[in-house]
């Protein structure tokens, strides 16, 4: 029975989790408690997040792979995550780059978040 389970696990795609310093994903948590799990490489678009997740022991986030943003609400953090994916997708791309849509209602909050996140 144990061999069958091991074989089944080998056949399935493994995506990993948020645990450990070499995890493929990180969890970004907004001021209102929403959690966004995104690929680590996307999150590293932000200089601030990159500093928090790298380096030996300077930040607790380095160990937990969870970053709490007390000043960034979920509607803004969702857009920030979309930007990380957009930036990763179109950096060094030879394809036509579409406009990154930003609604006027969140423009100021997004600008402040981008300034803080260094992205």
């Amino acid at each position: 029975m144990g061999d069958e389970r091991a074989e089944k696990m080998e056949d399935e795609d493994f995506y990993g989790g948020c645990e450990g310093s070499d995890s493929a994903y990180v969890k970004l948590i907004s001021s209102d408690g929403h959690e966004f799990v995104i690929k680590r490489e996307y999150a590293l678009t932000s200089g601030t997040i990159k500093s928090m997740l790298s380096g030996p022991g300077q930040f607790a986030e380095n160990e937990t792979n969870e970053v709490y943003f007390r000043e960034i609400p979920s509607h803004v953090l969702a857009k920030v995550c979309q930007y990380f994916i957009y930036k990763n997708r179109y950096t060094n791309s030879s394809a036509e780059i579409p406009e990154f849509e930003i609604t006027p209602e969140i423009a100021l909050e997004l600008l402040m978040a981008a300034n803080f996140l260094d992205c």
Side-chain angles (χ1 to χ4, degrees), residues 26-101:
V26 297
K27 188 183 297 184
L28 307 180
I29 304 168
S30 67
S31 62
D32 46 348
H34 290 142
E35 299 177 350
F36 300 88
V37 178
I38 65 169
K39 285 187 174 183
R40 180 185 212 71
E41 67 181 287
Y42 297 164
L44 296 180
T45 300
S46 161
T48 303
I49 295 173
K50 188 174 187 176
S51 295
M52 290 175 162
L53 295 177
S54 61
Q58 290 183 325
F59 296 97
E61 291 85 357
N62 189 24
E63 300 298 321
T64 63
N65 292 310
E66 295 181 354
V67 183
Y68 292 87
F69 297 104
R70 289 186 221 120
E71 301 293 325
I72 304 177
S74 59
H75 68 281
V76 175
L77 191 54
K79 196 66 173 177
V80 167
C81 291
Q82 289 173 7
Y83 174 73
F84 291 162
I85 295 166
Y86 171 89
K87 173 87 169 149
N88 188 275
R89 166 102 163 70
Y90 293 108
T91 297
N92 300 323
S93 173
S94 59
E96 185 175 336
I97 301 172
E99 185 176 334
F100 185 75
E101 298 287 330

